[in-house]
Amino acid sequence: ARDAFTVRADGTDRVKLNGALVSRRTVGEEVVWAPDGSRLIYYEYQFLADTTDPLKDTFSVLPDGTGRVKLNSDTASQYSASWSPDGSRLLYRVTDRSSQRVTLGISRPDGTGLISIEEWNPGEGGPDYFRWVKGASRVASDRPRGHR
């Protein structure tokens, strides 16, 4: 299992960001800082006994470990978030846990105001790469072949 931490560049003031992790739950590999350093995003994965595809939850937290907010609903896995250049919005992939429909969405940093910018039906895949275009209000992404 993994935990997420912040630490000063001199190695002092280590702060654990995630709460107590339950069995079969771990922190993902990616921690993403807001452009202004005011918040960061990390992921928690929970591996269920009946599947190899984990549930993926996304959290926003202050650098001191307070203000932890779960960004996705319990009915969707959400991950691979990136901050807009001005830090006012997040871009991420959302997978509905029951229908397996994939959405590329944008929301506020607290998870509210989610809008869908592209959607894929189950079996169509979804984007593997998506990021904000630096200094712009546009998003770059790949698409599975045949998707318009």
Side-chain angles (χ1 to χ4, degrees):
R2 297 174 187 248
D3 290 308
F5 294 90
T6 58
V7 63
R8 294 191 187 281
D10 65 3
T12 62
D13 196 23
R14 183 175 167 183
V15 176
K16 182 178 173 185
L17 301 175
N18 56 290
L21 296 174
V22 297
S23 176
R24 301 180 61 95
R25 194 162 180 94
T26 188
V27 170
E29 301 83 19
E30 193 174 9
V31 176
V32 184
W33 284 90
D36 66 0
S38 64
R39 295 192 73 80
L40 54 99
I41 297 168
Y42 72 92
Y43 313 97
E44 289 185 10
Y45 298 159
Q46 182 171 4
F47 293 87
L48 303 178
D50 61 343
T51 181
T52 57
D53 186 32
L55 302 177
K56 300 168 185 93
D57 294 324
T58 304
F59 294 87
S60 174
V61 65
L62 296 170
D64 66 1
T66 63
R68 182 174 181 258
V69 177
K70 182 177 175 184
L71 299 180
N72 59 297
S73 71
D74 288 334
T75 62
S77 287
Q78 176 177 313
Y79 57 97
S80 295
S82 67
W83 292 91
S84 62
D86 68 0
S88 67
R89 295 180 289 170
L90 293 169
L91 169 69
Y92 44 82
R93 178 180 166 144
V94 180
T95 303
D96 183 273
R97 291 179 179 161
S98 61
S99 73
Q100 295 301 301
R101 186 168 180 81
V102 175
T103 301
L104 190 58
I106 296 175
S107 77
R108 293 181 195 97
D110 64 1
T112 62
L114 176 65
I115 59 168
S116 170
I117 58 173
E118 291 198 63
E119 295 184 355
W120 291 264
N121 291 316
E124 287 183 330
D128 290 322
Y129 172 85
F130 45 93
R131 291 290 181 259
W132 290 94
V133 176
K134 194 169 188 110
S137 60
R138 298 185 61 82
V139 170
S141 73
D142 66 343
R143 290 184 179 80
R145 287 197 176 174
H147 184 76
R148 297 179 182 225

